Amino acid sequence: MSLKEKTVSGIFWSAVDSFANYGIHFIVGIVLARLITPKEFGLVGMITIFISISTTFIHSGFSSALIRKNDCTQEDYSTVFFYNIIMGTVLYLLIYFSAVPISNFYGEPELVWILRVLSLSLFLRSLTLIQTTTLTKRIDFKLQARIVIISGVLSGVIGIVMALYGFGVWSLVGRALSGSLIRSSLLWIWNRWMPSLIFSKKSFKELFGFGSKILISSLIDTVYSNIYYLVIGKYFSAEQLGYYSRAQSFANMPSSSLNNIMTRVTFPVLANMQDNKYQLKAGYKKLITNLMFMSMVILVLMAAIAEPLVVTLIGEKWRQSIIYLQLLCFPAMLFPLQQLNLNMLKVLGRSDLVLRVGIIKKVLAVPFIVLGVLYGIEVLILGMWANALISYYFNSYYSGRLINYSIKEQLSDILPYLLFALTVGAIVFVAGWQLPVGYLVKLLLQIALGILLVLGLGKLLQLAPYMEIRTIALDKIKSIRDARRSDR
């Protein structure tokens, strides 16, 4: 199979993987939101930052280092595997004994055992980094998609059953922990990679030399991404954090899915092009326009249908999430673009620039967070808007300079699609505002109108990203159909 065929196949199965993962998570979240209260969602949100930071330490940039290295050995994989086991155990013990002070910080006694039980997932994740890394290096996302779907469905059922039996916040814990256990088990059963009893100081030093800067940058990103949970939980309330977390889960589903699809596939693919700057720029340019077209269209439309979407799916008790969702769609729109620019720095081996950019962006975010604490959650989210633009500038400046793809050229490539998305979104919003029908009917009509506008105008205007995505999708569907016919 050629690199192009591997890329197309990888993007397809990565899309299945990501949308299945976030789609199942989204659907299960909708059901759970109807069964438990905003406060119970907020309690889990309060400890998200501690789990996320610990997960970053487990990864330690090793995954990126292994994917980038073209000649990885069993010694490399085994060294990283045993490091992960040790780190996962140490972090679990650290969180276990820190649970009481964390609970006291928020003033929520329930958090002690919630944190101690939920953090068991850290050890389970430490077992699977090499499994997922080897699959990613092979651009094998078909197996990962299968595992994601199975673990997502089974853990979702467990969480919903627990909620129906009145377990409240523990249904969220049970769902998360069972999902990690099932995913880890399936990766070991189906991937069949086994470690050797080796720990090489040389391998560790080489991989950590690149990965350490990625680790520090990832820690900064993780703290920044989750600091809003900590700030809202501390200075507002668990209930307000519940509203915010539900809104963010809506906005994150398309942006994180698109980001996972593109960055997971493009990193190993672009790494193969790193010595050919002309080819690298051409491929990168196409990725940016296609990614941003999808991101802007989906998130502008989500902002336009936010009210009927929230009320229909999770009920009137979550109405306060609507304004948060509309405001969060803008920074979520830019998130995949920021990550793709950072990916390019990693491909080119400039983990030092990844770290530098991360530090600059997060230092500049501090004043916006302070203003949010003083003036409310809406101001806090507006601060994300400003920081998203600043982050984009720094991310694209360095990556663009290295491959001769300037910010001006990037903006000229993506601005037409932003105008397209805003036009479609405005039409859908105004049409919904004028419809004298119930929320469910309004939601369905707005979604149908949005799809028709995107498909119709995209083809009429012959928008390059739309035409390419359409061609790839139709070709992949045809190949799957032909394969099934040949099997009969």
Side-chain angles (χ1 to χ4, degrees):
M1 187 182 288
S2 68
L3 182 61
K4 182 178 179 180
E5 290 171 330
K6 280 187 177 182
T7 303
V8 172
S9 178
I11 289 174
F12 176 81
W13 287 111
S14 182
V16 173
D17 178 4
S18 292
F19 283 115
N21 183 18
Y22 287 100
I24 293 168
H25 184 83
F26 184 73
I27 293 168
V28 173
I30 288 171
V31 177
L32 291 174
R34 290 184 168 275
L35 297 173
I36 60 180
T37 66
K39 180 181 178 180
E40 288 167 321
F41 273 95
L43 287 172
V44 172
M46 286 177 171
I47 60 176
T48 299
I49 187 170
F50 303 103
I51 302 295
S52 298
I53 289 173
S54 300
T55 301
T56 302
F57 270 110
I58 291 171
H59 285 218
S60 299
F62 282 121
S63 181
S64 296
L66 288 167
I67 292 170
R68 186 178 181 275
K69 185 176 179 180
N70 291 324
D71 55 346
C72 289
T73 64
Q74 177 70 1
E75 190 174 79
D76 294 328
Y77 289 130
S78 298
T79 297
V80 174
F81 174 78
F82 288 115
Y83 164 84
N84 287 336
I85 296 290
I86 295 168
M87 185 57 69
T89 304
V90 170
L91 288 168
Y92 174 72
L93 293 173
L94 183 62
I95 287 182
Y96 184 93
F97 291 109
S98 302
V100 173
I102 291 171
S103 173
N104 293 338
F105 171 79
Y106 286 114
E108 295 285 352
E110 290 177 83
L111 289 180
V112 175
W113 281 104
I114 293 174
L115 185 55
R116 286 174 172 174
V117 174
L118 188 57
S119 58
L120 286 168
S121 63
L122 295 173
F123 181 76
L124 295 172
R125 289 175 189 173
S126 72
L127 296 171
T128 59
L129 178 69
I130 298 302
Q131 301 288 0
T132 54
T133 299
T134 54
L135 290 172
T136 300
K137 277 183 73 71
R138 298 200 303 264
I139 318 179
D140 183 359
F141 295 99
K142 185 175 181 179
L143 178 56
Q144 293 187 59
R146 191 192 314 170
I147 291 170
V148 162
I149 292 170
I150 294 171
S151 61
V153 170
L154 292 179
S155 63
V157 170
I158 290 169
I160 291 169
V161 170
M162 290 179 69
L164 287 170
Y165 278 89
F167 282 91
V169 68
W170 286 100
S171 60
L172 299 174
V173 176
R175 175 195 173 195
L177 195 57
S178 62
S180 295
L181 178 60
I182 295 167
R183 180 175 176 272
S184 178
S185 300
L186 293 178
L187 279 166
W188 278 96
I189 292 169
W190 285 336
N191 191 31
R192 296 188 179 279
W193 174 86
M194 294 298 292
S196 301
L197 293 175
I198 304 171
F199 187 93
S200 168
K201 291 182 180 179
K202 181 182 176 182
S203 289
F204 182 86
K205 185 177 180 181
E206 177 190 353
L207 294 168
F208 195 67
F210 176 85
S212 59
K213 298 181 184 69
I214 301 297
L215 167 62
I216 298 171
S217 176
S218 297
L219 280 173
I220 294 170
D221 280 338
T222 300
V223 171
Y224 171 74
S225 300
N226 292 280
I227 195 68
Y228 298 97
Y229 284 92
L230 188 147
V231 168
I232 295 170
K234 175 64 177 177
Y235 293 100
F236 296 94
S237 67
E239 187 176 22
Q240 288 295 318
L241 180 55
Y243 292 129
Y244 171 84
S245 68
R246 282 296 83 200
Q248 191 178 60
S249 71
F250 275 78
N252 277 358
M253 188 183 73
S255 64
S256 296
S257 295
L258 290 172
N259 176 61
N260 284 345
I261 293 165
M262 290 300 183
T263 55
R264 288 195 306 170
V265 178
T266 59
F267 188 37
V269 171
L270 293 175
N272 286 320
M273 304 177 185
Q274 59 186 290
D275 296 325
N276 187 333
K277 293 294 176 68
Y278 177 80
Q279 186 183 20
L280 190 61
K281 178 183 176 179
Y284 185 56
K285 189 172 184 176
K286 185 178 290 186
L287 286 169
I288 280 184
T289 53
N290 290 349
L291 177 64
M292 287 311 295
F293 174 78
M294 291 186 288
S295 177
M296 290 185 294
V297 167
I298 293 171
L299 282 153
V300 168
L301 285 174
M302 181 172 283
I305 64 172
E307 183 179 16
L309 184 70
V310 169
V311 174
T312 300
L313 295 183
I314 56 179
E316 283 283 350
K317 69 179 179 181
W318 292 94
R319 178 170 283 276
Q320 195 167 334
S321 295
I322 295 170
I323 184 63
Y324 298 163
L325 173 57
Q326 290 171 324
L327 292 173
L328 284 167
C329 281
F330 178 77
M333 187 191 305
L334 292 181
F335 175 69
L337 180 58
Q338 294 177 39
Q339 294 303 111
L340 196 55
N341 275 295
L342 287 177
N343 229 26
M344 178 55 69
L345 295 178
K346 295 177 187 177
V347 166
L348 296 170
R350 296 304 304 270
S351 56
D352 59 321
L353 290 179
V354 176
L355 174 57
R356 184 189 302 176
V357 169
I359 292 172
I360 292 171
K361 292 186 302 184
K362 275 47 181 186
V363 168
L364 293 174
V366 172
F368 299 121
I369 294 172
V370 173
L371 287 172
V373 171
L374 294 174
Y375 296 106
I377 297 175
E378 289 87 351
V379 174
L380 191 71
I381 299 173
L382 288 174
M384 292 184 198
W385 288 40
N387 193 251
L389 290 171
I390 294 169
S391 297
Y392 167 67
Y393 172 80
F394 284 107
N395 289 343
S396 58
Y397 172 77
Y398 286 110
S399 63
R401 191 177 66 177
L402 291 170
I403 61 169
N404 194 30
Y405 188 30
S406 66
I407 296 175
K408 183 178 180 181
E409 190 176 353
Q410 280 194 30
L411 289 175
S412 68
D413 285 339
I414 64 177
L415 279 178
Y417 308 122
L418 175 60
L419 294 175
F420 173 83
L422 290 173
T423 301
V424 171
I427 295 171
V428 170
F429 178 79
V430 172
W433 183 52
Q434 296 291 334
L435 287 171
V437 294
Y439 283 119
L440 175 58
V441 176
K442 182 184 292 188
L443 177 64
L444 295 174
L445 289 174
Q446 282 184 294
I447 291 173
L449 176 61
I451 292 172
L452 289 173
L453 286 171
V454 171
L455 296 180
L457 292 176
K459 189 172 183 180
L460 178 66
L461 299 173
Q462 291 290 292
L463 297 178
Y466 167 79
M467 299 305 293
E468 182 160 4
I469 293 165
R470 180 174 179 270
T471 300
I472 290 172
L474 291 175
D475 287 348
K476 192 62 186 178
I477 292 170
K478 184 177 181 298
S479 67
I480 292 173
R481 190 185 301 150
D482 292 343
R484 285 182 177 175
R485 284 175 181 170
S486 64
D487 290 339
R488 290 176 183 173

